[in-house]
């Protein structure tokens, strides 16, 4: 069964608009961490944001925020005021801390920002 | 080192040959992960280490794939008797002691089996 599900293979968004990238996860562990990574066309993997399962508040890093809805097992990435440079693949990932520490990735969403 | 370093960056090999891919993690990082990434797909977990101990190798596709990290630093992923389906980007990542920390990725090794 998929541990991380990203249902949007691709998205097109107008520059300066906000965008939400969906991620749902599946775990029975009470302790886990959720990550978002960006992969531009250059191929590098860039860490964006982290949310721990016990964190009371949603994580924010600059224009990035993570909309963490624990009961729904949802960890959507919100990018505010999108820029052309945000065009990239975005991956949601999870580490199940109680089981082991491997990090599992979703299939990704390709985001295109339109000028 | 300043970042995770992988070598070689590109490797072309003939079918049936063995290849060894190297990963030099960030100094002091305890956890080291190996992933395989096909074009347009997410990284597929292969195996990971804490120090020199291989904690989980459930993602290794078959017994032609093996990995080691003998001194708890540099790791080698070895593919024996390569097949064309092994062609992919192989990525290494490292992180601080397990916990609330992200993994930092190397630039990967692009393996092409001809």
């Amino acid at each position: 069964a998929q541990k991380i599900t990203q249902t949007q293979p691709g998205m097109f968004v107008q520059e300066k608009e906000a965008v939400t990238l969906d991620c749902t996860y599946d775990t029975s562990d009470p302790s886990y961490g959720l990550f978002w990574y960006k992969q531009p066309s250059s191929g590098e993997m860039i860490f964006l944001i982290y949310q721990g399962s016990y964190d009371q508040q949603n994580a924010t890093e600059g224009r990035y925020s993570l909309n963490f809805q624990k009961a729904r097992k949802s960890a959507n990435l919100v990018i505010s005021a999108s820029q052309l440079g945000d065009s990239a693949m975005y991956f949601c990932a999870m580490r199940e801390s109680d089981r082991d520490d491997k990090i599992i990735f979703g299939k990704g969403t390709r985001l295109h920002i339109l000028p | 080192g300043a970042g995770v370093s992988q070598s070689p960056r590109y490797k072309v090999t003939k079918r049936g040959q063995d290849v060894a891919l190297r990963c030099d993690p960030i100094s002091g990082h305890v956890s080291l992960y190996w992933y395989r990434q096909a074009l347009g797909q997410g990284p597929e977990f292969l195996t990971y280490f804490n120090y020199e101990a291989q904690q989980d190798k459930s993602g290794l596709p078959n017994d032609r794939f093996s990995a080691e990290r003998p001194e708890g630093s540099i790791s080698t992923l070895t593919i024996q008797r390569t097949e064309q389906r092994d062609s992919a980007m192989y990525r290494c990542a490292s992180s601080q002691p397990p916990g609330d920390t992200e993994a930092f990725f190397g630039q990967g090794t692009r393996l092409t089996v001809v």
Side-chain angles (χ1 to χ4, degrees):
Chain A
Q2 288 274 0
K3 288 274 190 176
I4 296 285
T5 302
Q6 295 182 253
T7 57
Q8 307 149 311
M11 288 186 70
F12 290 82
V13 173
Q14 208 67 42
E15 191 181 8
K16 297 191 178 75
E17 288 184 354
V19 56
T20 298
L21 305 181
D22 295 341
C23 173
T24 57
Y25 58 92
D26 181 25
T27 182
S28 56
D29 287 348
S31 177
Y32 54 89
L34 298 157
F35 306 81
W36 277 93
Y37 283 82
K38 172 184 178 181
Q39 187 173 48
S41 56
S42 59
E44 60 191 306
M45 290 285 283
I46 302 168
F47 166 75
L48 295 178
I49 197 166
Y50 169 84
Q51 179 86 42
S53 60
Y54 293 119
D55 292 344
Q56 295 296 314
Q57 297 197 335
N58 286 346
T60 60
E61 289 287 347
R63 292 186 301 113
Y64 304 108
S65 61
L66 200 152
N67 184 1
F68 182 45
Q69 298 187 40
K70 196 169 182 177
R72 297 176 65 180
K73 294 188 176 177
S74 161
N76 297 343
L77 177 71
V78 180
I79 306 174
S80 63
S82 57
Q83 303 171 356
L84 295 177
D86 295 333
S87 294
M89 280 287 281
Y90 288 81
F91 296 105
C92 180
M94 176 175 68
R95 173 195 274 141
E96 294 175 296
S97 304
D98 282 354
R99 191 180 303 271
D100 61 30
D101 289 297
K102 71 184 181 190
I103 302 174
I104 299 170
F105 285 79
K107 294 184 183 299
T109 296
R110 183 169 294 282
L111 177 63
H112 304 268
I113 305 298
L114 304 172
Chain B
V4 179
S5 177
Q6 291 187 246
S7 61
R9 291 288 309 280
Y10 303 92
K11 177 70 177 178
V12 180
T13 190
K14 289 187 177 179
R15 190 174 49 189
Q17 297 291 308
D18 298 351
V19 294
L21 311 181
R22 173 188 163 118
C23 173
D24 192 350
I26 293 173
S27 178
H29 276 194
V30 167
S31 300
L32 185 148
Y33 306 83
W34 282 101
Y35 293 88
R36 180 170 66 177
Q37 188 176 19
L39 203 59
Q41 299 294 314
E44 173 194 8
F45 172 79
L46 296 177
T47 185
Y48 90 98
F49 296 81
N50 283 340
Y51 299 102
E52 72 281 359
Q54 192 170 21
Q55 299 291 326
D56 187 325
K57 56 181 181 178
S58 62
L60 295 177
N62 51 60
D63 60 8
R64 295 187 297 106
F65 287 72
S66 63
E68 63 174 9
R69 192 186 185 197
E71 296 178 3
S73 178
I74 292 168
S75 176
T76 303
L77 177 70
T78 301
I79 309 173
Q80 296 179 311
R81 305 182 302 282
T82 52
E83 301 177 5
Q84 284 188 322
R85 60 179 171 154
D86 299 332
S87 297
M89 176 71 82
Y90 289 84
R91 294 191 180 272
C92 173
S94 71
S95 71
Q96 293 279 9
D100 305 341
T101 56
E102 71 271 28
F104 295 86
F105 279 81
Q107 292 191 300
T109 295
R110 168 73 64 189
L111 175 66
T112 303
V113 183
V114 297

